[in-house]
Amino acid sequence: MKFTRRQILQSAAALSLMPFAARATPQVLEAREAIQRIAPQGFPETKVWSFGGTVPGAPIRVPQGSRVQRRLLNQLPQPTSVHWHGIRIDNAMDGVPGLTQDVVPTGGSFDYDFVVPDAGTYWYHAHNQSMEQVARGLSGPLIVDEANKPDVDQDLTLMLDDWRLDPETALIVGDFDNGHDLSHAGRLGNLVSVNGQFDPMFEVKRHERLRLRLINSSNARIFDVGLEGLSGWIVALDGMPLEAPLPVNEAFPLAPAQRADLIVDVVAEPQGTASLVSFERDGAFGLARFTIGEQNRDQVRQGIDPLPLNPLPELKDIDQAPVHRMVLQGGAMRWLESARIGDAELSGRELAQLGRFWALNGYAERPSDPFLDARLGGVHRIEFVNETVFPHAMHLHGHHFRLVLGDGSLGPWRDTVLVDRAQTRQIALVADNPGDWLLHCHMLGHAASGMMSWYKVS
Ligand code: C2O
Ligand code: CU
């Protein structure tokens, strides 16, 4: 075939347009209603809100250091946005309406485009009216693979969620502004799911080694996670590898928004079962079951290597870093006497009428000035002082931090720290990511009723 000049021009034009065209159509992440079986067989299906038609939402899995591009398309009856929880992200992509972007109206879209610097287990969720939208199902896993993966037979993501369903209709109970929930432990449900299913089953072999990526996407439930027929280590928390894997000898807490990566060996007897359980005040219940296949893997592996560390900043000279106290106030039994909203000082009664029950340093809503105004690269400590009688899961956007332990040594890197009732916990961070970042309680009802603040890095 002979090319004419016209054909050559056309193909040249097509070639030069290609990269542009590819960039112009990122993958769509559609926020929309869907129907899913959440409750056990025999109950009706549940109407949920989803990213991409399922709960958990469409899984996102990319290699470390790569770019994630998603066009959020909002087909929900409410405006929304997406926050990429735990990613040390470019501020403009953080997904916080009124701080980093405009809310995305029904029928609207927003292009998210960011690089993932760290390997590990992360998640994404709606960040507008989160208390309702996350409870309706708007969250999904975001897994970033390390270049050298650990030696395991199966890599399972287990997203733990907590639903409040009507026992007759299996519909989500719509009492999101329930003042009792807001002022107490938050919205606790009556059905716990793993990957959107009640009591799911996974096939494993005896002696297999599993990586379990646990993500707590529930509004308020703190799981106390234990293992049966499985034996192993915590290798990462909130995405970040531990320098030394921690053997799981007893149950450990997983607060809302927290993640734990486990590497475990199946040690259950043949015909036996292994399971993931949660211990609650009124007894233990199963989260997921592992059925042991007929065939064994020949041999159980010995020992464990830590995961490769992520490129986190060096935290040094902690004792010279300024300490910023953040007092957690209010809630049932410690009712606020007063707190500020903007410039107004309101009484506890006035606040309760507005559905505000909590405060951070005397503010019952995100204040106009940042809690902390940090120079880029500075090291800071934040001391959470919990004066309430409830635990709170305090989360910083944009940065991971380390716990400062009682003896001054540093604990694991985290993005969400559980501060128990009457407890004081200190954290330290390098403010190396410029922007305006939220700091709030991840019990989403608490965040909506007062526990919301922010800090600035510039
Ligand atoms: Cu996952 Cu502002 O939170
Ligand atoms: Cu809280």
Side-chain angles (χ1 to χ4, degrees), residues 122-135:
Y122 304 92
W123 64 301
Y124 65 94
H125 61 81
H127 214 297
N128 188 51
Q129 293 182 234
S130 317
M131 164 173 73
E132 170 173 358
Q133 296 194 356
V134 175

Side-chain angles (χ1 to χ4, degrees), residues 118 123 160 164 208 210 230 275 279 306 367 405 432 435:
D118 303 308
W123 64 301
L160 316 183
R164 184 177 292 179
E208 263 188 345
L210 318 173
L230 303 171
S275 47
F279 295 93
L405 304 175
D432 63 352

Side-chain angles (χ1 to χ4, degrees), residues 184-185 328 358 388 390-394 440-447 451:
H184 289 72
L328 284 47
W358 307 90
T388 80
F390 294 92
H392 301 283
M394 301 306 293
H440 62 90
C441 177
H442 221 289
M443 274 83 173
L444 298 172
H446 293 174
M451 292 196 139

Side-chain angles (χ1 to χ4, degrees), residues 250-295:
E250 50 185 25
F252 62 92
L254 194 70
Q258 290 187 325
R259 287 89 64 216
D261 282 47
L262 310 182
I263 291 188
V264 296
D265 296 316
V266 179
V267 296
E269 294 303 316
Q271 323 303 314
T273 49
S275 47
L276 193 69
V277 294
S278 183
F279 295 93
E280 310 264 321
R281 247 176 284 170
D282 40 356
F285 60 86
L287 295 170
R289 276 178 295 158
F290 301 87
T291 55
I292 319 289
E294 301 260 303
Q295 242 139 25

Side-chain angles (χ1 to χ4, degrees), residues 347-419:
S347 72
R349 178 181 296 267
E350 290 168 318
L351 290 163
Q353 275 161 4
L354 296 172
R356 299 296 163 84
F357 299 99
W358 307 90
L360 297 174
N361 281 0
Y363 282 92
E365 144 178 309
R366 176 157 55 89
S368 53
D369 291 334
F371 157 71
L372 160 64
D373 191 352
R375 291 286 77 79
L376 191 63
V379 178
H380 292 268
R381 285 180 286 175
I382 298 175
E383 189 158 85
F384 295 110
V385 181
N386 186 354
E387 292 186 345
T388 80
V389 300
F390 294 92
H392 301 283
M394 301 306 293
H395 169 50
L396 270 65
H397 284 220
H399 293 78
H400 274 66
F401 50 78
R402 290 185 81 166
L403 306 181
V404 183
L405 304 175
D407 61 0
S409 66
L410 294 176
W413 288 96
R414 303 218 69 142
D415 60 45
T416 304
V417 58
L418 185 60
V419 188

